[in-house]
C-alpha cells in the first residue's frame, strides 16, 4: 500500500512539474534548480552568479529552507526579486510549492529564476519542479565519496560544480576519484571547478548558464 501511495505522489508531482514548465515556457523563463548538501555553498554560488549575469539577464530567486529566511534576506539585499519558500520540515521542494509561489514573482520581468533547494543529497533528486536546468554542488570539504553514496543526485543533473575549490590544498580530496565516478554515472554532463571566494571558474559556469537562458528564449 505504501508503494502505491508513493507512486501516486511521484506521478502527481511529475504532472504538476509539467504544468510549471509550461508556465515558465510561456514567459520564456529558464528556471535553475540548485541542489547540494547543507553548507555546500549554494547561496554563495547563486549570489556570485547573479553578479555575473544581472547585466544581461533579469534574475529572480526562490529561496528554499526548512525554516527561516536568512538566505532570502541576503539575496533580496542585492535588489533581486526573491521569494522565501519554507517546507516546514520537508527535505525537498515539490512542484506544487513552485506552482503556488510563482505568482509572487514578476514573471513578465524575468529571464531566469534560481531555486535554492533544501540542503540534501537524496530527496531533491527525486522530485522535478519544472526546472530547465539542474545544478548539483559538491564542495571540497564534503569529501570525495558522495557520488558513490548518492548516485541519483549526480546522475540526474545537468552539471556538477566542485565548489570551494580553493580549499583543495587543505583537504584529502581525491579529485580523480570524483571525476571517474561522475563520468561513469553522467558522462555527457560538464563539470566545473569553482571558488565563490576567489571567483575562479565562475565565468565558465556563468557562460554555461547564460547559454541555457538564451535557449529558453527561442
Amino acid at each position: 500500500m505504501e508503494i502505491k501511495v508513493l507512486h501516486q505522489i511521484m506521478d502527481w508531482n511529475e504532472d504538476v512539474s509539467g504544468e510549471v514548465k509550461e508556465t515558465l515556457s510561456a514567459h520564456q523563463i529558464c528556471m535553475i534548480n540548485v541542489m547540494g548538501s547543507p553548507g555546500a555553498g549554494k547561496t554563495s554560488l547563486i549570489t556570485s552568479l547573479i553578479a555575473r549575469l544581472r547585466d544581461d539577464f533579469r534574475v529572480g530567486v526562490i529561496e528554499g529552507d526548512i525554516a527561516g529566511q536568512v538566505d532570502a534576506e541576503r539575496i533580496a539585499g542585492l535588489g533581486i526579486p526573491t521569494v522565501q519558500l519554507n517546507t516546514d520540515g520537508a527535505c525537498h521542494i515539490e512542484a506544487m510549492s513552485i506552482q503556488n509561489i510563482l505568482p509572487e514573482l514578476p514573471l513578465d520581468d524575468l529571464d531566469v529564476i534560481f531555486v535554492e533547494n533544501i540542503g540534501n543529497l537524496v530527496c531533491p533528486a527525486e522530485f522535478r519542479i519544472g526546472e530547465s536546468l539542474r545544478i548539483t554542488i559538491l564542495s571540497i570539504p564534503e569529501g570525495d565519496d558522495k557520488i558513490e553514496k548518492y548516485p541519483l543526485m549526480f546522475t540526474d543533473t545537468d552539471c556538477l560544480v566542485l565548489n570551494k575549490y580553493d580549499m583543495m590544498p587543505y583537504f584529502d580530496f581525491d579529485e580523480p576519484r570524483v571525476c571517474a565516478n561522475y563520468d561513469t554515472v553522467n558522462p555527457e554532463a560538464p563539470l566545473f571547478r569553482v571558488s565563490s571566494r576567489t571567483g575562479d571558474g565562475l565565468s565558465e559556469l556563468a557562460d554555461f548558464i547564460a547559454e541555457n537562458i538564451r535557449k529558453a528564449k527561442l
Side-chain angles (χ1 to χ4, degrees), residues 188-213:
E188 301 301 323
L191 182 152
F192 298 92
R193 297 162 178 84
V194 168
S195 169
S196 297
R197 187 179 68 85
T198 66
D200 290 342
L202 282 168
S203 294
E204 292 83 358
L205 178 59
D207 288 344
F208 173 76
I209 291 172
E211 180 182 350
N212 281 273
I213 297 172

Side-chain angles (χ1 to χ4, degrees), residues 44-76:
S44 295
L45 183 67
I46 290 172
T47 55
S48 296
L49 289 170
I50 287 171
R52 283 163 173 76
L53 295 168
R54 66 185 306 171
D55 287 344
D56 297 315
F57 304 105
R58 301 165 298 173
V59 184
V61 174
I62 296 173
E63 184 60 47
D65 280 302
I66 290 177
Q69 56 185 37
V70 174
D71 293 334
E73 291 173 350
R74 177 180 171 187
I75 293 175

Side-chain angles (χ1 to χ4, degrees), residues 16-178:
V16 178
S17 175
E19 294 171 6
V20 170
K21 186 168 285 191
E22 289 178 4
T23 298
L24 295 171
S25 178
H27 291 274
Q28 295 184 312
I29 294 174
C30 174
M31 188 166 74
I32 302 173
N33 186 359
V34 181
M35 303 177 290
S37 299
K42 296 185 294 296
T43 308
S44 295
L45 183 67
I46 290 172
T47 55
S48 296
L49 289 170
I50 287 171
R52 283 163 173 76
L53 295 168
R54 66 185 306 171
D55 287 344
D56 297 315
F57 304 105
R58 301 165 298 173
V59 184
V61 174
I62 296 173
E63 184 60 47
D65 280 302
I66 290 177
Q69 56 185 37
V70 174
D71 293 334
E73 291 173 350
R74 177 180 171 187
I75 293 175
L78 301 174
I80 297 296
T82 306
V83 180
Q84 178 69 48
L85 196 168
N86 285 344
T87 63
D88 296 322
C91 61
H92 62 276
I93 294 173
E94 296 182 5
M96 177 60 76
S97 296
I98 297 296
Q99 188 176 59
N100 290 336
I101 211 167
L102 280 179
E104 303 297 322
L105 287 167
L107 298 184
D108 289 331
D109 299 317
L110 295 177
D111 300 308
V112 56
I113 298 172
F114 286 98
V115 179
E116 180 172 343
N117 217 312
I118 307 302
N120 192 320
L121 286 177
V122 181
C123 305
E126 299 178 355
F127 287 82
R128 290 277 172 179
I129 58 172
E131 66 272 71
S132 308
L133 189 70
R134 287 185 145 199
I135 295 177
T136 297
I137 302 175
L138 172 63
S139 67
I140 300 306
E142 291 178 72
D144 51 36
D145 59 352
K146 297 300 179 286
I147 296 177
E148 294 159 78
K149 289 183 175 180
Y150 309 100
L152 181 60
M153 176 61 74
F154 300 92
T155 301
D156 196 7
T157 189
D158 296 298
C159 74
L160 172 61
V161 175
L162 288 185
N163 200 25
K164 305 183 182 180
Y165 199 74
D166 55 300
M167 302 188 76
M168 278 288 287
Y170 310 106
F171 288 87
D172 185 17
F173 186 91
D174 189 344
E175 184 177 354
R177 174 187 184 184
V178 170

